[in-house]
Amino acid sequence: MSEASEPPEPAEPTEPADPTKASTPHGPLPRLLEAVLGVGVDPELRATLQHIVDTAAELTDARHASLEATTPGPDGDEGGGDGDGCPTEFHTAEPPAAGQAALGPLGRLDVPVRVRDDAYGSLRLTGKREGGPFTGEDEQLVRVLATQAGIAIGNARLHETARQRERWIEGAAAVTTALLTGETAADALMTVAERARMLADASAGVILQPTDEGGMEIVTASTPDDPGGLVGTTIAPGSAVLEQLLGGEPVFVDDSATDPRMTTQVRHRFGPSMLLPLQAGGRLIGTLALPRRRGDRPYTSVEQLLATQFASQAALALVLADAQQRRERLAVFEDRDRIARDLHDLVVQRLFATGMMLESTQRRTADEERDPEVHAMLGRAVEELRSTVQEVRTTIFALQQPPADAPTTFRGKVLRETAGAAAVLGFQPSVQFTGPVDARLPAPVATCLLTALRAALAAASHRTGTTRVTVSIDATTTLPDGRPGVRLTVFDDGEGEAGREDEPGTGTTVTWQSPLRTHP
């Protein structure tokens, strides 16, 4: 017990010492002030509370001191709501002896700790080191510490909430930046799932999207471990939680494994979970699910609010990224259409006019019986021009196809095969179409022709010295038996294979033909 600053007059009765008036250099007041000043130095709640407990034991000479949280924090996180998983009890000095639990009021001191107007727990001291009961001065000191503990807990909650908001805002900004840099749709969904998983400290981050059957399916999964078994998991129509998800409402689950609303095959692997709508402008893109493992701490109300806001911002970023990609694709299509028009209006017409002039010249040389060599040369020039016109028209057709979509026409499929061969050959094969191939070729014949084309291109790529490959498909062919048919001709100038009759330097020609009807 500390002494007063001046000795009392002998004639006056003494009063209990007041710690706020103590001033001895080594009394409790300097130590109390030091403890109070040191409480707000470290914003981390764990270190702050441990410092309060140690100081309480030191000031009261208690054998054992503890700070026990008896009620959850306002966010549902027991132990103060700091969001760091702090324990609910702090101890210092000697552990209480076996008989000290039954000590009376003078041998044990309990002081409540309140955070604003909410009860938090109690600061408990047990047993003096030198014996004797706790005094009124001890109780006053501990009450001051308990008040400061309540202030520290409140400040720590505010600090942690601010830190959480900052992290989620930075995460949303990073997602928006990443999505607007031109990622594909699959990469964009993975970016959202992965960033959200890290921010929420979740076991997994998954994206679900509506199915044609009326359910939802996991299309993207991000986990620290193997995500096997997650992608493809579906929520079947009729699930209790599905109506909320399709309606764009968030769903919060305390334990996925035992909640009857959860019906997926992987629910037993997870505990607390958030299912958040990815919705922007009235458009539901999907659902962001952030499950934690079984036994992990539940999500606080602050985390639920921040994650919901993140999902809204991520959905808006996904919509903006999709719109940007559509604009870029539209610009590509417009540019390709312009090139195709230029080729058709300028190049093809000029080549066609030149060919007509050469044909006219060829006829005049034949009529006047001039040099036959000149006549033959003009004929070859006319054929080359016709071939060039066909190739330009094929190029125009290719430019008019969507670059990222799978071709649906026969012409498009042929061009896809030759484009694939170009990656191996090192140059683009020349392709010519004669007749309405898309209209005349039935599906079975077209499939067989593509198979033959694929084999011929593969063989050409294996021959040495190949510098030119031409592919010709004629849908106006008449077969020897008189039936209408289609003929595929693939020529390459590579060296002939061993055992073939091709003369050196003549190249290799592969011919395939079929009737247009596969049955009589």
Side-chain angles (χ1 to χ4, degrees):
M1 182 181 298
S2 63
E3 298 179 355
S5 58
E6 294 182 1
E9 294 294 333
E12 296 180 0
T14 59
E15 297 179 356
D18 187 348
T20 62
K21 299 180 180 179
S23 61
T24 55
H26 303 291
L29 181 56
R31 287 179 292 168
L32 176 61
L33 292 176
E34 181 181 354
V36 170
L37 293 175
V39 164
V41 173
D42 192 341
E44 203 276 318
L45 184 60
R46 184 189 300 271
T48 297
L49 297 184
Q50 188 65 59
H51 177 70
I52 291 174
V53 171
D54 293 340
T55 303
E58 181 182 355
L59 291 176
T60 60
D61 196 28
R63 290 180 177 274
H64 176 259
S66 65
L67 177 60
E68 302 175 4
T70 56
T71 58
D75 297 329
D77 50 331
E78 191 174 3
D82 65 326
D84 293 327
C86 292
T88 61
E89 188 171 332
F90 292 82
H91 296 279
T92 189
E94 301 175 7
Q100 287 183 343
L103 290 176
L106 299 180
R108 189 175 69 183
L109 185 60
D110 286 320
V111 176
V113 177
R114 301 184 68 84
V115 180
R116 296 182 178 89
D117 296 330
D118 300 323
Y120 175 83
S122 62
L123 185 59
R124 176 172 299 173
L125 295 96
T126 307
K128 285 273 194 177
R129 289 182 181 274
E130 298 180 359
F134 289 104
T135 66
E137 178 182 339
D138 293 331
E139 183 177 357
Q140 288 179 335
L141 292 172
V142 176
R143 287 188 181 280
V144 172
L145 286 176
T147 301
Q148 192 62 26
I151 296 173
I153 294 171
N155 291 338
R157 286 174 174 172
L158 293 176
H159 176 74
E160 178 57 27
T161 299
R163 287 177 54 195
Q164 284 183 325
R165 289 184 184 277
E166 183 180 358
R167 288 194 298 266
W168 282 94
I169 290 174
E170 291 177 350
V175 166
T176 301
T177 302
L179 297 186
L180 295 180
T181 55
E183 291 187 344
T184 63
D187 292 338
L189 293 178
M190 178 58 74
T191 298
V192 173
E194 191 167 34
R195 178 70 66 165
R197 175 184 64 81
M198 293 186 292
L199 288 171
D201 192 25
S203 174
V206 301
I207 303 291
L208 299 95
Q209 290 187 323
T211 63
D212 296 336
E213 293 76 18
M216 297 197 84
E217 179 182 2
I218 296 178
V219 297
T220 302
S222 169
T223 63
D225 307 318
D226 182 15
L230 289 180
V231 176
T233 301
T234 59
I235 301 178
S239 171
V241 77
L242 187 61
E243 183 177 351
Q244 290 180 264
L245 297 180
L246 293 177
E249 299 180 15
V251 177
F252 304 105
V253 178
D254 293 332
D255 186 3
S256 299
T258 59
D259 195 306
R261 296 176 298 172
M262 306 299 288
T263 59
T264 63
Q265 302 175 0
V266 296
R267 66 184 186 279
H268 64 279
R269 297 167 53 176
F270 303 110
S273 182
M274 296 187 290
L275 295 93
L276 312 168
L278 293 172
Q279 185 172 358
R283 173 187 173 191
L284 181 64
I285 301 173
T287 296
L288 170 63
L290 298 170
R292 285 175 173 166
R293 294 193 182 280
R294 298 203 67 185
D296 286 356
R297 64 182 179 88
Y299 286 107
T300 66
S301 60
V302 172
E303 289 175 320
Q304 293 174 358
L305 175 61
L306 294 175
T308 302
Q309 293 173 346
F310 171 88
S312 298
Q313 296 174 5
L316 179 60
L318 287 169
V319 172
L320 292 176
D322 181 64
Q324 176 177 285
Q325 292 175 359
R326 289 177 181 272
R327 288 195 299 270
E328 292 175 352
R329 286 197 296 268
L330 180 60
V332 171
F333 294 159
E334 290 177 347
D335 196 39
R336 290 161 68 101
D337 288 342
R338 179 186 58 79
I339 295 173
R341 287 194 304 269
D342 291 344
L343 286 174
H344 183 272
D345 296 341
L346 300 176
V347 179
V348 172
Q349 291 184 13
R350 290 180 179 179
L351 289 175
F352 187 74
T354 303
M356 292 183 64
M357 288 189 294
L358 289 176
E359 286 183 344
S360 176
T361 304
Q362 184 185 26
R363 285 194 297 269
R364 287 200 300 269
T365 57
D367 294 340
E368 299 174 7
E369 297 182 355
R370 297 185 179 181
D371 191 346
E373 184 177 350
V374 174
H375 180 79
M377 186 179 301
L378 289 173
R380 289 195 298 269
V382 170
E383 290 301 321
E384 286 292 333
L385 282 175
R386 287 176 178 172
S387 176
T388 302
V389 169
Q390 289 182 339
E391 290 187 16
V392 172
R393 285 175 173 168
T394 299
T395 303
I396 293 173
F397 175 82
L399 287 172
Q400 293 172 339
Q401 303 303 304
D405 297 342
T408 57
T409 64
F410 176 73
R411 287 175 181 260
K413 293 176 181 179
V414 170
L415 295 177
R416 181 182 59 181
E417 294 296 336
T418 56
V424 180
L425 292 168
F427 58 88
Q428 180 67 41
S430 171
V431 183
Q432 299 177 9
F433 296 98
T434 303
V437 291
D438 287 322
R440 300 197 65 181
L441 268 64
V445 175
T447 300
C448 294
L449 189 150
L450 289 173
T451 301
L453 172 62
R454 198 175 298 119
L457 291 174
S461 66
H462 288 95
R463 280 189 278 273
T464 59
T466 301
T467 61
R468 184 168 63 94
V469 175
T470 61
V471 176
S472 175
I473 299 176
D474 187 357
T476 62
T477 298
T478 300
L479 300 181
D481 59 3
R483 289 184 296 171
V486 59
R487 177 177 291 113
L488 165 69
T489 305
V490 180
F491 168 81
D492 69 89
D493 62 353
E495 297 182 4
E497 299 177 357
R500 292 179 61 94
E501 298 180 355
D502 300 325
E503 297 180 2
T506 61
T508 303
T509 301
V510 176
T511 302
W512 177 94
Q513 61 184 17
S514 169
L516 294 178
R517 296 179 181 177
T518 57
H519 55 81

